[in-house]
Amino acid sequence: MKHAHPSKTMTLGADLRALRKARGLKLADLSETLGRSVGWLSQVERDLSEPSITDLRHMAKALNVSVSSLFRQAASAVEEQGFIVRAASRRPIGSHEAGLTEELLSPDLTDDFEVVHSTFEPSSEIADPVSRPTQEVGYVVSGRLDLWIAGRTFSLNVGDSFRIRGEPFRWMNPYPTPAVVIWVIAPPVY
């Protein structure tokens, strides 16, 4: 397991590096996509250079994340950085599918896994199956959620949990109340 000093993990560069690696991209691959040098991208990932907003937009697009997911919503107290994520400081992540709000519960993306707080609004669903090279476990905190995993449909209630190991899946909340799920994903994909 990776253990880094908190000041080294609470950086934009570390998150960008983790995202790039999670997508199986080499520095050269991403730098070519961005039209930037490998040296520049390496400096950004080591927090020796700060990308412009335009650069961040291009990086977010290339890494298939929202630009807002690259920003910290509120600064943590110095003694909490790398350890604590306050409810008001959660970073929005994910594809922002209609009816789904996702927030990162992990302090950053540098661990071998990430923890996500997902809220599925009533009458929302993702129609096309998603498949990712991950292992995922979820726990239903409130509401109800239907999951389709590898062609099988499951209805989940409060306290139920599930596992997905790279199988295609999709979700739907046909119920009148939001469903809240804590989702653990390894390796991090956001």
Side-chain angles (χ1 to χ4, degrees):
M1 171 158 287
K2 303 173 206 166
H3 295 286
H5 187 276
S7 65
K8 296 295 183 194
T9 62
M10 292 299 293
T11 66
L12 173 63
D15 282 352
L16 289 169
R17 182 182 316 107
L19 286 166
R20 176 181 57 76
K21 287 183 174 184
R23 281 144 180 78
L25 297 172
K26 295 182 179 174
L27 273 170
D29 299 330
L30 185 55
S31 66
E32 182 178 327
T33 299
L34 298 173
R36 303 287 258 157
S37 72
V38 171
W40 175 83
L41 184 55
S42 175
Q43 287 183 346
V44 168
E45 287 188 356
R46 291 179 290 138
D47 291 305
L48 300 175
S49 183
E50 192 170 316
S52 69
I53 294 296
T54 301
D55 289 326
L56 284 175
R57 284 189 188 113
H58 292 303
M59 285 183 207
K61 183 177 180 182
L63 296 169
N64 196 27
V65 296
S66 66
V67 175
S68 64
S69 70
L70 299 177
F71 294 101
R72 306 226 179 312
Q73 294 304 305
S76 299
V78 173
E79 66 275 5
E80 293 182 347
Q81 290 182 359
F83 299 103
I84 306 297
V85 177
R86 300 288 177 185
S89 299
R90 292 181 194 152
R91 289 171 32 198
I93 58 172
S95 60
H96 302 286
E97 297 285 339
L100 173 60
T101 303
E102 296 176 292
E103 298 173 310
L104 187 64
L105 296 177
S106 305
D108 53 45
L109 298 173
T110 61
D111 291 314
D112 295 327
F113 62 91
E114 64 188 334
V115 182
V116 177
H117 181 278
S118 300
T119 303
F120 302 85
E121 293 302 323
S123 303
S124 63
E125 72 175 285
I126 182 170
D128 296 323
V130 174
S131 184
R132 341 188 240 223
T134 58
Q135 290 190 35
E136 308 181 33
V137 175
Y139 173 78
V140 181
V141 176
S142 64
R144 297 174 62 194
L145 187 70
D146 290 349
L147 278 180
W148 178 90
I149 305 171
R152 298 176 66 190
T153 302
F154 304 93
S155 291
L156 303 171
N157 298 297
V158 173
D160 291 342
S161 58
F162 60 88
R163 177 177 60 201
I164 301 168
R165 292 188 195 168
E167 298 99 345
F169 72 94
R170 59 188 184 94
W171 55 263
M172 61 217 83
N173 180 3
Y175 308 105
T177 58
V180 175
V181 177
I182 302 301
W183 206 288
V184 179
I185 304 169
V189 292
Y190 291 114

